[in-house]
Amino acid sequence: MLTSPPRLDPNETNWIVHVNENLKCMPADEQQCWKYPSIYKVPPFITDLNPKAYQPQVVSFGPYHYDDNHLRPMEEHKHRALLHFLKRSGKSLECVFKSLKEVARELKDSYDKLDLKWKDGTGGEFLELMIMDGCFMLEIMRIATLPKSKAENYGYAPNDPIFSFDRLECIVPYIRRDMLLLENQLPMLVLYQLDAIANDGKEDDVNKLILKFHFPLERKTSTGLDSCLHVLDVYRKGLLKVMEPKKVQHKGKNEETETIIRSATELNEAGIKFNTSKTDSLNGISNSLNDISFDRGVLKLPLFTVDDTTEFMFLNVMAFERLHIKPFNSEDGNEVTSYVIFMDKIINNEQDVALLHTQGIIQNNFGSDKAVADLFNSLCIDVAVPSNKNLNYVQQKISKHCKKRWNEWRANLNRTYFKNPWTILSLIAAFFLFALTIIQTVYTLLSYY
């Protein structure tokens, strides 16, 4: 017996018709439908663990935190920075506005989520925000990186509440922190455009200025930083020193090996020694997070300074690496996250931190060794392990080394008998007495027979 198909509700029919119409209108290349953002609102599943790490403290850059109550006092100083920028460059505000208006759509597309206030209309308010924040950022970085003698004569009053040298020393650490928050970024195009206007179109290395501002005690090269997205991206590449990933050469078959990494103390007990990675320069110590290698029982790691800024810096860089869309099948772009996860594996407690500190790998400006261990252990909560060929290969080699019992026996022998000169002398004396005893026994037997 045939049964008639069930009748559809009008609402269901409308939905089916709507979906079928959308199906017919689907573009051949969906990639063209999406913009390419680089500045993101950090989602709750990331921020819930540590909300303060993603919130600016003294100054807002861009639209996400504009007009927050506790950040309003800095707005009047931004206006003064704009006036000094225009006066020194000799350019009119109309010229600056026109230059940025030509790239307004590209600047808006750099933000993942924009309120209608910034999206709609002619874009005047949005460009005003970009110009004010961009000029303030450039002024802060330029003056903070000058010697004291030049900074005092850079156009600002010696008692300026922000730009005087004494005030800068106090406020710059907070501004430096806020400039590295993912939600508090400006598109690099803003800084490039403003810098070109101030220098009459001549190229000035803005990337180099950013590196000098954020790494005041280190010499960072800006080579290869032509296509950066924002200040956080420049900083991230500064951590990696724009090094090409090491080519990993696997010999023979690609064997599946256990890659569980023990703590630094356990690795040391298995006979593994720790050393700082070296740069290409003579006796130079590397601080590139890419410089991790293992060879002949020696694990080489880059020098890293842990201080009060380490936690929020890593969290924001890792959030950027998680949220930013990468080319298909690309393993690049997760290097900082891979480094933090690797360090989390070899640091379990204060003994591990003390060992790495003794070997010159971790410089502790943060607090106790336990605080540093807790810091690294907290950074990787709910973080997926990204693929990194170099670190995977390093972990495989370490696992192979630890599986050989002889390496552990040799390490125990070294710790027990060769730890200091007195134990070495005692061992030599014991061997000498043992040899004399054998000789005496031989002579006794010979004389007997």
Side-chain angles (χ1 to χ4, degrees):
M1 181 176 178
L2 297 176
T3 58
S4 58
R7 292 185 179 183
L8 296 176
D9 184 88
N11 291 331
E12 296 172 337
T13 305
N14 291 338
W15 179 70
I16 291 173
V17 172
H18 177 68
V19 171
N20 287 333
E21 289 177 352
N22 288 338
L23 186 62
K24 294 177 183 178
C25 299
M26 277 188 68
D29 185 6
E30 276 194 302
Q31 183 176 346
Q32 303 301 321
C33 299
W34 306 102
K35 60 181 182 177
Y36 293 91
S38 58
I39 304 171
Y40 303 87
K41 273 275 193 181
V42 185
F45 73 86
I46 296 178
T47 60
D48 283 349
L49 295 173
N50 191 347
K52 290 184 178 180
Y54 307 93
Q55 303 294 321
Q57 292 182 346
V58 297
V59 60
S60 68
F61 295 107
Y64 288 157
H65 292 279
Y66 173 76
D67 208 30
D68 285 0
N69 287 332
H70 68 289
L71 304 177
R72 287 177 184 171
M74 192 61 71
E75 294 303 312
E76 63 173 286
H77 305 299
K78 291 182 182 180
H79 182 73
R80 191 169 66 262
L82 171 64
L83 297 179
H84 279 269
F85 176 87
L86 295 173
K87 182 179 180 181
R88 189 172 59 258
S89 65
K91 301 296 188 300
S92 65
L93 183 57
E94 291 79 8
C95 175
V96 175
F97 195 89
K98 182 180 178 182
S99 175
L100 288 182
K101 190 174 183 180
E102 294 173 356
V103 293
R105 174 49 53 191
E106 188 174 345
L107 297 179
K108 289 183 179 181
D109 287 346
S110 297
Y111 290 93
D112 182 38
K113 295 179 181 178
L114 271 183
D115 293 338
L116 293 178
K117 171 186 177 180
W118 309 109
K119 273 186 178 181
D120 297 342
T122 59
E125 290 186 4
F126 179 78
L127 292 179
E128 177 185 338
L129 178 67
M130 294 291 103
I131 293 170
M132 293 277 285
D133 289 357
C135 289
F136 180 79
M137 186 179 288
L138 286 175
E139 291 289 285
I140 283 288
M141 290 192 296
R142 291 194 190 284
I143 298 177
T145 54
L146 285 174
K148 183 176 182 179
S149 57
K150 293 184 179 180
E152 289 181 344
N153 299 319
Y154 206 59
Y156 291 90
N159 59 343
D160 189 283
I162 293 293
F163 293 96
S164 61
F165 191 82
D166 292 336
R167 281 301 182 92
L168 273 178
E169 283 188 324
C170 177
I171 197 70
V172 157
Y174 298 96
I175 295 178
R176 187 181 286 127
R177 174 199 184 277
D178 288 349
M179 284 175 63
L180 293 180
L181 304 183
L182 180 55
E183 293 185 358
N184 213 32
Q185 297 298 307
L186 292 177
M188 280 299 294
L189 184 56
V190 173
L191 303 182
Y192 291 150
Q193 293 282 99
L194 291 175
D195 184 74
I197 293 170
N199 292 282
D200 295 321
K202 296 178 183 177
E203 281 194 22
D204 193 13
D205 200 340
V206 179
N207 297 326
K208 186 176 181 180
L209 176 65
I210 294 171
L211 292 175
K212 189 176 180 181
F213 179 73
H214 286 284
F215 299 94
L217 302 178
E218 302 175 24
R219 292 184 179 180
K220 294 284 186 179
T221 175
S222 59
T223 305
L225 292 179
D226 298 331
S227 57
C228 293
L229 302 169
H230 39 65
V231 169
L232 182 63
D233 189 31
V234 176
Y235 182 86
R236 175 187 167 275
K237 290 176 179 175
L239 288 173
L240 304 172
K241 292 185 70 175
V242 205
M243 294 179 60
E244 292 295 328
K246 296 180 180 178
K247 294 182 179 179
V248 181
Q249 298 181 354
H250 299 275
K251 297 180 180 179
K253 296 181 180 179
N254 186 15
E255 300 178 356
E256 290 291 332
T257 58
E258 183 185 6
T259 57
I260 297 176
I261 298 297
R262 309 180 192 182
S263 68
T265 305
E266 292 173 324
L267 293 177
N268 188 244
E269 290 175 353
I272 292 178
K273 296 180 180 179
F274 293 87
N275 206 344
T276 50
S277 304
K278 304 296 181 182
T279 59
D280 294 335
S281 60
L282 184 63
N283 296 325
I285 295 177
S286 174
N287 48 21
S288 167
L289 303 190
N290 268 334
D291 272 359
I292 299 178
S293 61
F294 180 77
D295 188 38
R296 298 178 182 179
V298 178
L299 177 58
K300 293 185 177 180
L301 297 166
L303 168 67
F304 187 80
T305 301
V306 181
D307 55 30
D308 294 334
T309 67
T310 300
E311 181 180 20
F312 81 83
M313 178 274 293
F314 271 140
L315 287 175
N316 280 272
V317 173
M318 291 166 67
F320 174 61
E321 290 187 345
R322 293 168 74 179
L323 298 175
H324 191 57
I325 298 174
K326 305 166 187 65
F328 184 67
N329 283 338
S330 172
E331 293 190 354
D332 298 335
N334 292 312
E335 292 87 351
V336 175
T337 303
S338 298
Y339 166 83
V340 174
I341 290 176
F342 185 84
M343 294 299 290
D344 176 44
K345 288 179 179 179
I346 66 173
I347 295 177
N348 286 343
N349 51 46
E350 56 266 35
Q351 285 80 17
D352 301 317
V353 176
L355 175 61
L356 295 176
H357 175 71
T358 303
Q359 301 302 318
I361 293 167
I362 287 182
Q363 184 175 338
N364 186 0
N365 294 340
F366 181 61
S368 66
D369 290 339
K370 185 179 186 305
V372 175
D374 292 340
L375 171 62
F376 274 101
N377 296 156
S378 68
L379 290 173
C380 299
I381 298 175
D382 291 341
V383 177
V385 180
S387 177
N388 186 295
K389 285 184 178 180
N390 180 53
L391 283 180
N392 290 343
Y393 187 50
V394 167
Q395 293 181 38
Q396 288 178 8
K397 292 179 72 176
I398 292 174
S399 295
K400 266 188 176 181
H401 179 95
C402 293
K403 284 181 178 179
K404 295 178 180 178
R405 301 296 297 176
W406 163 245
N407 291 321
E408 189 170 348
W409 294 338
R410 183 174 58 185
N412 288 331
L413 183 67
N414 289 333
R415 283 194 302 271
T416 305
Y417 297 106
F418 299 104
K419 192 173 182 180
N420 59 63
W422 299 112
T423 56
I424 295 174
L425 289 174
S426 300
L427 184 63
I428 293 174
F431 272 114
F432 184 70
L433 291 174
F434 181 67
L436 288 178
T437 302
I438 291 177
I439 293 172
Q440 184 180 7
T441 303
V442 170
Y443 272 105
T444 302
L445 290 173
L446 289 175
S447 63
Y448 176 79
Y449 287 104

PDB file of all heavy atoms in Angstrom, residues 38-50:
ATOM      1  N   SER A  38      44.060  40.463  10.758  1.00  0.00           N
ATOM      2  CA  SER A  38      45.282  40.132  11.499  1.00  0.00           C
ATOM      3  C   SER A  38      45.204  40.602  12.955  1.00  0.00           C
ATOM      4  O   SER A  38      46.067  40.271  13.747  1.00  0.00           O
ATOM      5  CB  SER A  38      46.498  40.785  10.831  1.00  0.00           C
ATOM      6  OG  SER A  38      46.347  42.192  10.763  1.00  0.00           O
ATOM      7  N   ILE A  39      44.165  41.389  13.283  1.00  0.00           N
ATOM      8  CA  ILE A  39      43.972  41.897  14.644  1.00  0.00           C
ATOM      9  C   ILE A  39      42.652  41.342  15.144  1.00  0.00           C
ATOM     10  O   ILE A  39      41.599  41.607  14.558  1.00  0.00           O
ATOM     11  CB  ILE A  39      43.975  43.433  14.672  1.00  0.00           C
ATOM     12  CG1 ILE A  39      45.283  43.966  14.061  1.00  0.00           C
ATOM     13  CG2 ILE A  39      43.816  43.952  16.093  1.00  0.00           C
ATOM     14  CD1 ILE A  39      45.304  45.461  13.845  1.00  0.00           C
ATOM     15  N   TYR A  40      42.713  40.578  16.222  1.00  0.00           N
ATOM     16  CA  TYR A  40      41.569  39.773  16.634  1.00  0.00           C
ATOM     17  C   TYR A  40      41.064  40.138  18.015  1.00  0.00           C
ATOM     18  O   TYR A  40      41.829  40.545  18.878  1.00  0.00           O
ATOM     19  CB  TYR A  40      41.958  38.286  16.638  1.00  0.00           C
ATOM     20  CG  TYR A  40      42.474  37.783  15.316  1.00  0.00           C
ATOM     21  CD1 TYR A  40      43.818  37.899  14.997  1.00  0.00           C
ATOM     22  CD2 TYR A  40      41.620  37.200  14.387  1.00  0.00           C
ATOM     23  CE1 TYR A  40      44.301  37.444  13.783  1.00  0.00           C
ATOM     24  CE2 TYR A  40      42.088  36.741  13.171  1.00  0.00           C
ATOM     25  CZ  TYR A  40      43.438  36.869  12.880  1.00  0.00           C
ATOM     26  OH  TYR A  40      43.902  36.424  11.669  1.00  0.00           O
ATOM     27  N   LYS A  41      39.767  39.969  18.193  1.00  0.00           N
ATOM     28  CA  LYS A  41      39.179  39.947  19.526  1.00  0.00           C
ATOM     29  C   LYS A  41      39.434  38.560  20.101  1.00  0.00           C
ATOM     30  O   LYS A  41      39.024  37.555  19.515  1.00  0.00           O
ATOM     31  CB  LYS A  41      37.672  40.202  19.438  1.00  0.00           C
ATOM     32  CG  LYS A  41      37.270  41.664  19.454  1.00  0.00           C
ATOM     33  CD  LYS A  41      37.164  42.164  20.881  1.00  0.00           C
ATOM     34  CE  LYS A  41      36.458  43.510  20.927  1.00  0.00           C
ATOM     35  NZ  LYS A  41      36.359  44.017  22.300  1.00  0.00           N
ATOM     36  N   VAL A  42      40.125  38.490  21.217  1.00  0.00           N
ATOM     37  CA  VAL A  42      40.475  37.192  21.782  1.00  0.00           C
ATOM     38  C   VAL A  42      39.215  36.556  22.367  1.00  0.00           C
ATOM     39  O   VAL A  42      38.553  37.157  23.216  1.00  0.00           O
ATOM     40  CB  VAL A  42      41.564  37.330  22.863  1.00  0.00           C
ATOM     41  CG1 VAL A  42      42.006  35.950  23.346  1.00  0.00           C
ATOM     42  CG2 VAL A  42      42.760  38.097  22.309  1.00  0.00           C
ATOM     43  N   PRO A  43      38.854  35.363  21.921  1.00  0.00           N
ATOM     44  CA  PRO A  43      37.595  34.732  22.374  1.00  0.00           C
ATOM     45  C   PRO A  43      37.661  34.299  23.832  1.00  0.00           C
ATOM     46  O   PRO A  43      38.740  34.084  24.396  1.00  0.00           O
ATOM     47  CB  PRO A  43      37.460  33.518  21.435  1.00  0.00           C
ATOM     48  CG  PRO A  43      38.843  33.233  20.965  1.00  0.00           C
ATOM     49  CD  PRO A  43      39.551  34.551  20.918  1.00  0.00           C
ATOM     50  N   PRO A  44      36.488  34.122  24.458  1.00  0.00           N
ATOM     51  CA  PRO A  44      36.440  33.773  25.892  1.00  0.00           C
ATOM     52  C   PRO A  44      37.155  32.473  26.234  1.00  0.00           C
ATOM     53  O   PRO A  44      37.682  32.348  27.341  1.00  0.00           O
ATOM     54  CB  PRO A  44      34.933  33.668  26.166  1.00  0.00           C
ATOM     55  CG  PRO A  44      34.299  34.548  25.143  1.00  0.00           C
ATOM     56  CD  PRO A  44      35.148  34.418  23.917  1.00  0.00           C
ATOM     57  N   PHE A  45      37.168  31.493  25.327  1.00  0.00           N
ATOM     58  CA  PHE A  45      37.804  30.221  25.686  1.00  0.00           C
ATOM     59  C   PHE A  45      39.305  30.386  25.901  1.00  0.00           C
ATOM     60  O   PHE A  45      39.952  29.511  26.480  1.00  0.00           O
ATOM     61  CB  PHE A  45      37.519  29.146  24.622  1.00  0.00           C
ATOM     62  CG  PHE A  45      38.263  29.302  23.322  1.00  0.00           C
ATOM     63  CD1 PHE A  45      39.532  28.776  23.162  1.00  0.00           C
ATOM     64  CD2 PHE A  45      37.673  29.969  22.249  1.00  0.00           C
ATOM     65  CE1 PHE A  45      40.221  28.906  21.958  1.00  0.00           C
ATOM     66  CE2 PHE A  45      38.352  30.108  21.053  1.00  0.00           C
ATOM     67  CZ  PHE A  45      39.625  29.574  20.900  1.00  0.00           C
ATOM     68  N   ILE A  46      39.863  31.513  25.458  1.00  0.00           N
ATOM     69  CA  ILE A  46      41.273  31.821  25.724  1.00  0.00           C
ATOM     70  C   ILE A  46      41.400  32.774  26.912  1.00  0.00           C
ATOM     71  O   ILE A  46      42.217  32.568  27.804  1.00  0.00           O
ATOM     72  CB  ILE A  46      41.947  32.423  24.473  1.00  0.00           C
ATOM     73  CG1 ILE A  46      41.981  31.403  23.341  1.00  0.00           C
ATOM     74  CG2 ILE A  46      43.360  32.899  24.795  1.00  0.00           C
ATOM     75  CD1 ILE A  46      42.596  31.931  22.051  1.00  0.00           C
ATOM     76  N   THR A  47      40.566  33.819  26.936  1.00  0.00           N
ATOM     77  CA  THR A  47      40.725  34.861  27.955  1.00  0.00           C
ATOM     78  C   THR A  47      40.241  34.428  29.339  1.00  0.00           C
ATOM     79  O   THR A  47      40.682  34.989  30.346  1.00  0.00           O
ATOM     80  CB  THR A  47      39.952  36.130  27.549  1.00  0.00           C
ATOM     81  OG1 THR A  47      38.555  35.812  27.417  1.00  0.00           O
ATOM     82  CG2 THR A  47      40.466  36.681  26.236  1.00  0.00           C
ATOM     83  N   ASP A  48      39.335  33.464  29.417  1.00  0.00           N
ATOM     84  CA  ASP A  48      38.758  33.096  30.711  1.00  0.00           C
ATOM     85  C   ASP A  48      39.816  32.652  31.720  1.00  0.00           C
ATOM     86  O   ASP A  48      39.636  32.823  32.928  1.00  0.00           O
ATOM     87  CB  ASP A  48      37.721  31.974  30.538  1.00  0.00           C
ATOM     88  CG  ASP A  48      36.406  32.511  29.991  1.00  0.00           C
ATOM     89  OD1 ASP A  48      36.247  33.744  29.957  1.00  0.00           O
ATOM     90  OD2 ASP A  48      35.550  31.707  29.579  1.00  0.00           O
ATOM     91  N   LEU A  49      40.915  32.079  31.248  1.00  0.00           N
ATOM     92  CA  LEU A  49      41.956  31.590  32.154  1.00  0.00           C
ATOM     93  C   LEU A  49      42.734  32.732  32.803  1.00  0.00           C
ATOM     94  O   LEU A  49      43.222  32.597  33.925  1.00  0.00           O
ATOM     95  CB  LEU A  49      42.920  30.673  31.393  1.00  0.00           C
ATOM     96  CG  LEU A  49      42.299  29.370  30.869  1.00  0.00           C
ATOM     97  CD1 LEU A  49      43.297  28.638  29.983  1.00  0.00           C
ATOM     98  CD2 LEU A  49      41.875  28.482  32.034  1.00  0.00           C
ATOM     99  N   ASN A  50      42.852  33.862  32.087  1.00  0.00           N
ATOM    100  CA  ASN A  50      43.613  34.996  32.619  1.00  0.00           C
ATOM    101  C   ASN A  50      43.170  36.273  31.908  1.00  0.00           C
ATOM    102  O   ASN A  50      43.871  36.777  31.020  1.00  0.00           O
ATOM    103  CB  ASN A  50      45.110  34.759  32.416  1.00  0.00           C
ATOM    104  CG  ASN A  50      45.967  35.753  33.177  1.00  0.00           C
ATOM    105  OD1 ASN A  50      45.480  36.767  33.675  1.00  0.00           O
ATOM    106  ND2 ASN A  50      47.257  35.496  33.275  1.00  0.00           N
TER     107      ASN A  50
END
